Amino acid sequence: MSDQNKGLLHEEVETLRTLRDELRVQLHLAKNEARDRFEGAEKSWHELEGRLKLIGRESQDSLHEVGEAANKLVDEIKQAYKHVRELV
């Protein structure tokens, strides 16, 4: 292999090394973002479970309000899980 080819190969390897390092950082950040998003969804999940328990105990008037809040939490959790799935 000529010195010129060795130099080109070395440059390509350095470019790949840099890209590899950048991807490692991005994957680490994506994992952190996914974990944070999932933990937020878990908080909403627990809130949803609590609201669902209330539905059985509330009067008909407040049942509508609790149901709307529960539906909102369901949508929020669904979006969070979708986002986490895209990150991992």
Side-chain angles (χ1 to χ4, degrees):
M1 183 179 271
S2 71
D3 287 341
Q4 182 180 7
N5 286 343
K6 285 181 185 179
L8 291 174
L9 180 59
H10 178 72
E11 287 178 26
E12 288 294 322
V13 169
E14 286 303 312
T15 299
L16 287 174
R17 182 173 284 119
T18 301
L19 179 58
R20 180 175 176 253
D21 291 342
E22 290 171 358
L23 288 172
R24 275 188 181 171
V25 170
Q26 289 175 355
L27 285 171
H28 179 72
L29 293 174
K31 286 180 188 177
N32 287 340
E33 183 179 348
R35 183 175 28 257
D36 291 346
R37 184 68 185 219
F38 187 78
E39 287 173 2
E42 282 296 287
K43 288 177 185 175
S44 295
W45 177 261
H46 293 297
E47 185 178 340
L48 173 63
E49 287 181 321
R51 289 183 187 264
L52 291 175
K53 288 177 185 176
L54 284 175
I55 288 175
R57 292 181 271 182
E58 293 294 324
S59 69
Q60 198 62 25
D61 291 336
S62 45
L63 181 62
H64 179 71
E65 292 174 18
V66 172
E68 284 182 5
N71 284 330
K72 184 178 178 183
L73 281 170
V74 167
D75 289 339
E76 181 182 314
I77 294 167
K78 194 184 306 182
Q79 289 301 315
Y81 285 168
K82 181 180 176 185
H83 188 231
V84 170
R85 177 174 273 165
E86 291 170 357
L87 291 171
V88 293

